[in-house]
Amino acid sequence: MHNHLKQESDTVELIKVATFNLFNFIEPPSAYYDFENIYTQEQWQKKLAWITSYLNEHQPDVIGFQEVFSPDALATLTQACGLDYFAVLDEPDVFDDFIYSKPVVAIASRYPIIDVHSVEADSQLAEMVGMPANFSFSRKPLRATVSIPKLGPCDCYVVHFKSKRPLFDAQTEYLSGKSQVKLKTGQLLAVEALAQWGASIVRGSEAALLRHAMVERRVQTQYPMMLMGDFNDGLEGGVLASLTSVDTRIKPDNVFGDVTEELQEYQLQDSYELYQKSQYSLSSQQRPATYYYLAAGSVLDYILLSCEFDAKHSRSLAEVGRYETYDRHLINPSFDRDSQSTDHAPVMITLSIRH
């Protein structure tokens, strides 16, 4: 486990926030995606035990989940771990009564969840960026307003953006409307590149439309914001740049005020970057990956925060005192311990909230 830690003062409240892709969390005899994908009772109990072990060891106070097919089972598990509050709004798709697809997101909290909302995209803006008017998120983002000690109401958003899986199949879907000619490998690669770019367009649009929804809410409430989840992309890649960008030609409302301060009130910042700039950071070692594909690691799981969690901002109420990537099961897996774990590394931050 990559654990960055330094002793905090006793004069602060410590709040732990985590994001956790559960990897096909589905209670048997239901199946995920295909009729053969059903856990045995032994596999399912092992998966439950692994998640329980993580929650009991790390004790997050607020945790966002992705890839949830069986929310009732997850609510039971999290409540047994002391997370008394749970919310899920969306439902997975099901066919033949037992084969599930399109998993949903959920949130569990040690503190009261006082409001929940399923975030929808603004249809006019979706059209203006080239999406269909009936555009909807791949998995609907969940906004839960959590009453956090010393902080008050905080809007916590849980997301699972569109995956990098190609938007369509080059060989079957693309060719279905054409004469069944055999394409050369180079032609297939070019069509596949378009299909992957299509997924990027959707993912980037989801990110920008979500940011808009978050800002609209922020204008109404001024509540602190957290965005946690599986982004299925790196923040540095460009596709998701709209989540944290501040490049603008727009003149600030207050011409005499601090332009940067005003813009940051509606900006999100990467909790890892905030941690690196904090007084608690011990090193500038390379950021641990949260996902591996063919031995290549990437960071796909993030927690983004509003300016209340930036120690250098005038509205600061807290700062990021720890940043932990739990990756033992990915780096050094043990079959006995980890065979039913997850293909992502849960990420957890500790917020030091000043009294």
Side-chain angles (χ1 to χ4, degrees), residues 304-330:
L304 307 186
L305 302 169
S306 57
C307 63
E308 284 85 356
F309 306 98
D310 179 355
K312 295 179 172 57
H313 196 275
S314 63
R315 286 179 58 157
S316 176
L317 301 171
E319 65 180 316
V320 182
R322 297 187 192 182
Y323 180 97
E324 301 168 71
T325 304
Y326 186 76
D327 57 8
R328 182 179 65 178
H329 59 293
L330 303 178

Side-chain angles (χ1 to χ4, degrees), residues 128-202:
M128 291 174 76
V129 297
M131 294 290 108
N134 62 349
F135 174 82
S136 61
F137 291 95
S138 304
R139 277 132 324 207
K140 284 184 183 173
L142 171 67
R143 184 188 77 220
T145 306
V146 181
S147 182
I148 296 178
K150 313 297 181 194
L151 199 60
C154 182
D155 281 337
C156 301
Y157 294 80
V158 186
V159 295
H160 190 180
F161 289 138
K162 174 75 179 78
S163 73
K164 289 187 177 179
R165 194 173 298 111
L167 206 55
F168 55 86
D169 184 273
Q171 215 145 9
T172 55
E173 293 175 74
Y174 172 66
L175 286 176
S176 63
K178 297 179 171 294
S179 58
Q180 292 298 310
V181 292
K182 183 165 173 58
L183 294 186
K184 294 183 183 298
T185 304
Q187 291 173 293
L188 280 173
L189 281 173
V191 175
E192 189 174 86
L194 277 167
Q196 286 181 320
W197 173 239
S200 297
I201 291 171
V202 173

Side-chain angles (χ1 to χ4, degrees), residues 7-214:
Q7 289 299 312
E8 289 91 351
S9 161
D10 291 335
T11 62
V12 297
E13 184 92 29
L14 300 181
I15 306 294
K16 296 178 180 179
V17 179
T19 181
F20 190 158
N21 182 318
L22 294 168
F23 189 51
N24 298 324
F25 185 85
I26 188 163
E27 187 172 15
S30 297
Y32 54 95
Y33 304 118
D34 188 274
F35 71 93
E36 294 180 338
N37 294 333
I38 301 174
Y39 294 122
T40 65
Q41 273 301 327
E42 183 183 8
Q43 289 172 325
W44 175 240
Q45 292 304 321
K46 196 170 183 181
K47 190 170 186 70
L48 293 178
W50 198 93
I51 298 165
T52 298
S53 175
Y54 175 83
L55 294 178
N56 286 338
E57 181 182 347
H58 297 272
Q59 295 283 313
D61 299 299
V62 178
I63 181 166
F65 295 104
Q66 302 84 44
E67 294 206 24
V68 180
F69 288 110
S70 300
D72 290 348
L74 183 59
T76 300
L77 184 157
T78 53
Q79 284 163 5
C81 294
L83 295 156
D84 290 339
Y85 302 89
F86 184 88
V88 62
L89 291 178
D90 206 2
E91 294 181 352
D93 287 354
V94 59
F95 58 98
D96 288 348
D97 293 331
F98 78 102
I99 304 173
Y100 286 75
S101 62
K102 295 193 175 178
V104 301
V105 300
I107 190 169
S109 171
R110 210 171 298 279
Y111 307 116
I113 296 175
I114 56 179
D115 182 43
V116 287
H117 180 74
S118 192
V119 181
E120 304 277 358
D122 182 297
S123 56
Q124 182 185 352
L125 284 172
E127 276 194 280
M128 291 174 76
V129 297
M131 294 290 108
N134 62 349
F135 174 82
S136 61
F137 291 95
S138 304
R139 277 132 324 207
K140 284 184 183 173
L142 171 67
R143 184 188 77 220
T145 306
V146 181
S147 182
I148 296 178
K150 313 297 181 194
L151 199 60
C154 182
D155 281 337
C156 301
Y157 294 80
V158 186
V159 295
H160 190 180
F161 289 138
K162 174 75 179 78
S163 73
K164 289 187 177 179
R165 194 173 298 111
L167 206 55
F168 55 86
D169 184 273
Q171 215 145 9
T172 55
E173 293 175 74
Y174 172 66
L175 286 176
S176 63
K178 297 179 171 294
S179 58
Q180 292 298 310
V181 292
K182 183 165 173 58
L183 294 186
K184 294 183 183 298
T185 304
Q187 291 173 293
L188 280 173
L189 281 173
V191 175
E192 189 174 86
L194 277 167
Q196 286 181 320
W197 173 239
S200 297
I201 291 171
V202 173
R203 186 165 56 259
S205 298
E206 287 181 342
L209 288 163
L210 176 62
R211 178 181 178 174
H212 171 259
M214 292 178 71

